């Protein structure tokens, strides 16, 4: 999400309690493009395993939907508590949650219920934000409260919130008899001071991995962390397909040359046009091999040059499947996906000249027209990965 020329990066990482197949924490994040809002919810269900997973998923889903509809927080919390099934042993329906709602102006509203307090890291230190305390009336549990805080994000601000798997990690050990909540602040501050531009994704990973280390590499509880980071956006230009009118070849080349950010050329014809118009040599690189795709090429001033429709098709499949961090392959499609996911504002410049090879009925169905594949990639990047994506046809 863009805000006053800045970008709000949201990322998340979690690990299951040792021995569990599923995680009892649930995280959801949604960008309401029409309103320019970003809503993120982290919920921790009672206990662990399948039961906790069901509770946290129900809580996160309801919290997300009610917040998106601008319902009052009291109605939201009451609806959640009245809907959750009761635990047969403890006779309570219980799931913690933290809701972070950021509007198009960078105004932040955070609602916390029975969850570890979030951190706001600004200008090299943690900032305390005043919170409104609202009692929650429930029949099965006494003395529970909602905590509501509001503030405006500034450039380089980081919001960090997590489940108690982080704050209670290491509890009972000689070094951390009461858990890691205070030590986590020092750890985060040291990381950010050492790596000023550390991404939200990397910071969330490091916090969860350190919590696991605190527990002797055997997590005692489901452990989750979300990081929200406002920073300068990373721009990416992806050019695929030749312009409909050859007279626009020079325009395409100028767009590539003048673009401020990283650049990908996807398609042999596209790369040939840029090479010719800019007078730049293009060389095939056989060091990176993918049995499904032709090799990449190298060109001065361009970060990645790949084949066209086959590569785009594989990129779309990888984005659909997710979990790029655990893929062993390092071919052209994987390289392109990593560049897409490491960028914030992505411009897809799509040529509309028809390539007759893609209309051959003897070719597999997977060879869809370039424009349809690009639309799928745009949809995935916006909805699943919260990127700002623009398609321009030429």
């Amino acid at each position: 999400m863009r805000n006053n020329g800045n970008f709000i990066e949201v990322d998340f990482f979690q690990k299951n309690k040792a021995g569990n197949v599923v995680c009892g924490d649930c995280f959801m994040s949604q960008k309401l493009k029409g309103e320019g809002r970003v809503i993120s919810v982290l919920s921790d269900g009672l206990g662990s395993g399948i039961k906790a997973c069901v509770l946290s998923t129900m809580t996160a889903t309801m919290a997300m939907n009610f917040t998106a509809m601008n319902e009052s927080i009291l109605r939201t919390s009451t609806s959640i508590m009245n809907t959750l099934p009761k635990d047969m042993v403890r006779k309570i329906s219980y799931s913690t949650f933290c809701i972070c709602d950021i509007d198009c102006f960078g105004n932040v509203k955070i609602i916390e219920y029975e969850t570890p307090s979030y951190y706001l890291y600004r200008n090299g230190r943690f900032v305390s934000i005043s919170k409104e305390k609202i009692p929650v009336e429930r029949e099965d549990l006494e003395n529970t409260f909602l905590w509501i805080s509001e503030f405006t994000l500034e450039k380089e601000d980081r919001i960090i919130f997590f489940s108690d798997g982080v704050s209670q990690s290491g509890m009972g050990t000689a070094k951390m008899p009461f858990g890691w909540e205070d030590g986590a602040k020092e750890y985060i501050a040291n990381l950010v001071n050492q790596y000023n531009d550390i991404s939200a994704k990397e910071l969330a990973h490091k916090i969860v991995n350190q919590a696991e280390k605190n527990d002797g590499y055997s997590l005692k509880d489901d452990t989750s962390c979300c990081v929200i980071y406002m920073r300068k956006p990373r721009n990416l230009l992806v050019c695929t397909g030749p312009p409909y009118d050859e007279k626009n070849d020079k325009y395409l080349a100028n767009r590539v040359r003048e673009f401020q950010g990283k650049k990908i050329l996807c398609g042999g014809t596209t790369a040939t046009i840029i090479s010719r118009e800019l007078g730049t040599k293009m060389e095939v690189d056989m060091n990176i091999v993918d049995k499904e795709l032709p090799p990449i090429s190298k060109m001065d001033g361009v970060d990645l040059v790949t084949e066209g429709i086959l590569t785009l098709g594989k990129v779309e499949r990888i984005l659909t499947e997710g979990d790029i961090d655990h893929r062993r392959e390092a071919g052209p499609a994987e390289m392109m996906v990593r560049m897409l996911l490491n960028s914030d504002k992505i411009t897809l410049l799509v040529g509309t000249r028809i390539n007759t090879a893609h209309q051959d009925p003897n070719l597999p169905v997977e060879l869809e027209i370039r424009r349809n594949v690009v639309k799928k990639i745009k949809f995935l990047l916006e909805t699943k990965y919260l990127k700002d994506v623009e398609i321009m046809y030429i």
Side-chain angles (χ1 to χ4, degrees):
M1 173 192 155
R2 304 288 293 261
N3 180 279
N4 295 328
N6 297 313
F7 183 84
I8 298 176
E9 177 189 9
V10 180
D11 222 310
F12 164 80
F13 186 59
Q14 70 179 184
K15 285 189 174 182
N16 305 346
K17 177 182 177 181
N20 283 3
V21 178
V22 298
C23 187
D25 300 342
C26 179
F27 175 77
M28 295 183 179
S29 191
Q30 180 182 8
K31 178 168 64 174
L32 305 181
K33 194 169 183 180
E35 301 177 42
R37 291 167 68 195
V38 172
I39 305 171
S40 303
V41 180
L42 176 61
S43 176
D44 181 0
L46 178 66
S48 61
I50 297 291
K51 179 174 64 177
C53 179
V54 172
L55 291 171
S56 65
T57 303
M58 289 179 64
T59 300
T61 302
M62 294 179 68
M64 175 66 73
N65 292 336
F66 276 112
T67 304
M69 293 188 296
N70 296 307
E71 293 287 353
S72 74
I73 185 56
L74 283 177
R75 184 186 174 190
T76 299
S77 58
T78 302
S79 297
I80 291 172
M81 293 164 197
N82 290 339
T83 304
L84 293 180
K86 286 191 176 182
D87 182 87
M88 297 299 292
V89 178
R90 306 184 193 183
K91 305 299 181 184
I92 60 173
S93 59
Y94 186 76
S95 183
T96 73
F97 60 82
C98 178
I99 305 170
C100 181
D101 186 3
I102 307 174
D103 70 15
C104 60
F105 302 106
N107 298 316
V108 183
K109 185 174 185 178
I110 297 181
I111 301 101
E112 301 167 287
Y113 178 70
E114 297 291 298
T115 187
S117 181
Y118 71 90
Y119 298 157
L120 173 61
Y121 192 78
R122 173 181 291 170
N123 297 327
R125 62 187 182 88
F126 290 98
V127 178
S128 295
I129 302 294
S130 60
K131 299 181 181 182
E132 180 184 0
K133 182 180 180 181
I134 300 178
V136 176
E137 296 182 3
R138 21 185 328 174
E139 297 177 356
D140 55 356
L141 207 61
E142 296 181 354
N143 298 322
T144 62
F145 303 92
L146 288 167
W147 298 90
I148 301 176
S149 52
E150 299 185 44
F151 58 92
T152 301
L153 271 181
E154 298 178 5
K155 188 177 179 181
E156 296 301 317
D157 276 1
R158 289 176 171 88
I159 302 171
I160 303 113
F161 52 96
F162 41 75
S163 64
D164 57 8
V166 171
S167 57
Q168 295 181 9
S169 65
M171 183 175 287
T173 62
K175 289 185 177 179
M176 291 170 265
F178 303 108
W180 193 44
E181 190 157 6
D182 292 332
K185 281 190 172 183
E186 182 180 355
Y187 176 78
I188 293 167
N190 289 337
L191 272 178
V192 176
N193 291 337
Q194 186 176 0
Y195 309 102
N196 291 327
D197 59 349
I198 187 170
S199 67
K201 180 178 181 179
E202 187 176 359
L203 183 55
H205 274 68
K206 286 185 177 296
I207 292 170
V208 171
N209 288 335
Q210 182 61 39
E212 184 178 34
K213 183 179 178 182
N214 295 342
D215 278 339
Y217 297 99
S218 180
L219 285 169
K220 306 299 188 294
D221 194 4
D222 301 309
T223 304
S224 306
C225 178
C226 171
V227 178
I228 298 172
Y229 178 25
M230 176 179 265
R231 55 170 171 72
K232 181 180 178 181
R234 304 187 191 110
N235 298 320
L236 174 66
L237 174 67
V238 180
C239 298
T240 179
Y244 180 80
D245 189 338
E246 293 184 8
K247 294 179 182 178
N248 287 326
D249 287 358
K250 189 170 184 179
Y251 168 80
L252 173 63
N254 288 335
R255 283 295 301 268
V256 172
R257 179 175 55 196
E258 296 169 3
F259 185 78
Q260 299 297 312
K262 293 193 174 182
K263 309 163 193 176
I264 298 175
L265 303 181
C266 193
T269 305
T270 308
T272 301
I273 290 172
I274 301 301
S275 176
R276 183 191 70 226
E277 293 293 328
L278 298 183
T280 307
K281 291 183 179 181
M282 181 171 57
E283 298 179 356
V284 176
D285 183 358
M286 297 301 296
N287 294 322
I288 299 174
V289 179
D290 183 331
K291 62 182 180 181
E292 298 179 14
L293 301 174
I296 66 169
S297 298
K298 289 186 175 181
M299 183 187 301
D300 288 343
V302 176
D303 298 278
L304 180 64
V305 181
T306 73
E307 181 276 338
I309 190 65
L310 293 173
T311 304
L312 288 173
K314 188 169 182 180
V315 165
E316 186 261 324
R317 293 197 302 273
I318 294 172
L319 290 173
T320 301
E321 294 167 2
D323 204 21
I324 182 65
D325 292 331
H326 293 90
R327 293 182 68 92
R328 295 182 179 179
E329 300 89 343
E334 287 78 14
M335 294 174 67
M336 185 171 174
V337 168
R338 288 188 172 92
M339 289 182 66
L340 288 168
L341 298 186
N342 286 331
S343 302
D344 307 313
K345 171 64 177 176
I346 301 166
T347 303
L348 302 171
L349 193 55
V350 183
T352 53
R353 190 188 309 170
I354 298 296
N355 188 333
T356 54
H358 301 162
Q359 308 301 313
D360 187 345
N362 296 319
L363 290 176
V365 177
E366 290 80 20
L367 281 179
E368 297 180 347
I369 299 174
R370 178 186 292 109
R371 277 176 286 186
N372 291 338
V373 179
V374 168
K375 286 178 182 177
K376 287 184 179 180
I377 291 173
K378 177 180 186 289
F379 175 79
L380 287 166
L381 289 171
E382 288 184 331
T383 58
K384 191 173 182 179
Y385 301 98
L386 303 182
K387 305 296 182 182
D388 286 344
V389 185
E390 177 186 18
I391 295 182
M392 299 179 64
Y393 295 103
I394 181 174

